[in-house]
Amino acid sequence: MRIILLLFGYHQKGNVLSNEAVFDIYFNSDSLYIDSYFGLPNGTFNKDEHVIVCKLPVNTRNSTPKYLDVKLGLDSIDCSDEYTGKSYFKFDNSVLNKNECKLLIVSKNEGGIIEKEKQTMRTFNEWGTSSKRILARKTIEIPYKKKKINRLVVSWRGGYEYCR
């Protein structure tokens, strides 16, 4: 019995299970102008000072990160890249909820930052953070699925899965 549990634990660490989802979110900065997408005056977004974060469709405790840094551009998307616990954060049924998420433009040093090899997640209190640090908010729908890495791209229509 112990060997079966050890094997399942090993399998679980290296795979995304049927009740789990992984998110990898991109903003197509080649075809979408960030300032106009968020309704900001031209020149407001500065990639050296600001970052776009996505409040994921998860309901976690305050200490657990739920804001994932959004990557700019589509050049770094690798559809053949497989899940490793070192590279991605995964979420299970107990915290996953509806498909609605929120995009925010925040100061790069905002909140507690947890970095993995390919992803950065943040913990901060969105409603307790100074409005000077949150430049914009936009709610979108993302069509995520379980048992996979959801490589989602933000577009004018919302979000879509890049790797089908």
Side-chain angles (χ1 to χ4, degrees):
M1 181 66 159
R2 183 166 187 229
I3 293 174
I4 293 171
L5 290 174
L6 287 171
L7 287 173
F8 178 73
Y10 179 75
H11 175 73
Q12 182 182 14
K13 284 183 184 178
N15 294 291
V16 182
L17 302 180
S18 61
N19 67 334
E20 298 173 327
V22 173
F23 299 95
D24 201 12
I25 302 178
Y26 298 82
F27 189 91
N28 190 351
S29 55
D30 296 334
S31 68
L32 291 177
Y33 190 61
I34 294 171
D35 288 335
S36 62
Y37 181 79
F38 282 94
L40 296 170
N42 287 344
T44 303
F45 179 80
N46 179 335
K47 67 179 181 176
D48 296 326
E49 296 176 16
H50 306 115
V51 65
I52 300 173
V53 296
C54 179
K55 182 177 183 184
L56 296 172
V58 297
N59 186 16
T60 64
R61 295 185 266 322
N62 287 341
S63 61
T64 306
K66 55 186 142 198
Y67 295 89
L68 178 67
D69 281 16
V70 176
K71 298 169 186 148
L72 298 180
L74 306 181
D75 296 341
S76 63
I77 298 177
D78 180 3
C79 293
S80 64
D81 188 26
E82 295 187 16
Y83 173 81
T84 66
K86 295 178 183 176
S87 300
Y88 298 100
F89 297 92
K90 66 181 173 179
F91 301 91
D92 66 23
N93 274 344
S94 66
V95 297
L96 289 168
N97 57 21
K98 59 189 175 205
N99 292 355
E100 185 178 281
C101 70
K102 193 177 299 178
L103 295 173
L104 305 160
I105 297 179
V106 297
S107 173
K108 264 196 175 174
N109 58 0
E110 186 61 40
I113 298 172
I114 299 172
E115 291 193 32
K116 285 203 174 195
E117 198 173 295
K118 295 183 180 188
Q119 292 191 313
T120 303
M121 289 202 79
R122 294 170 189 266
T123 56
F124 66 95
N125 180 354
E126 181 181 338
W127 304 112
T129 300
S130 163
S131 61
K132 291 179 182 178
R133 298 218 169 166
I134 297 178
L135 295 179
R137 289 181 176 90
K138 186 166 185 141
T139 302
I140 64 167
E141 295 282 326
I142 57 168
Y144 76 88
K145 294 187 174 150
K146 295 176 188 166
K147 197 178 181 180
K148 67 179 284 187
I149 299 173
N150 293 276
R151 292 178 179 91
L152 303 166
V153 175
V154 174
S155 73
W156 282 106
R157 295 174 279 124
Y160 66 90
E161 172 63 43
Y162 187 82
C163 303
R164 296 194 190 260

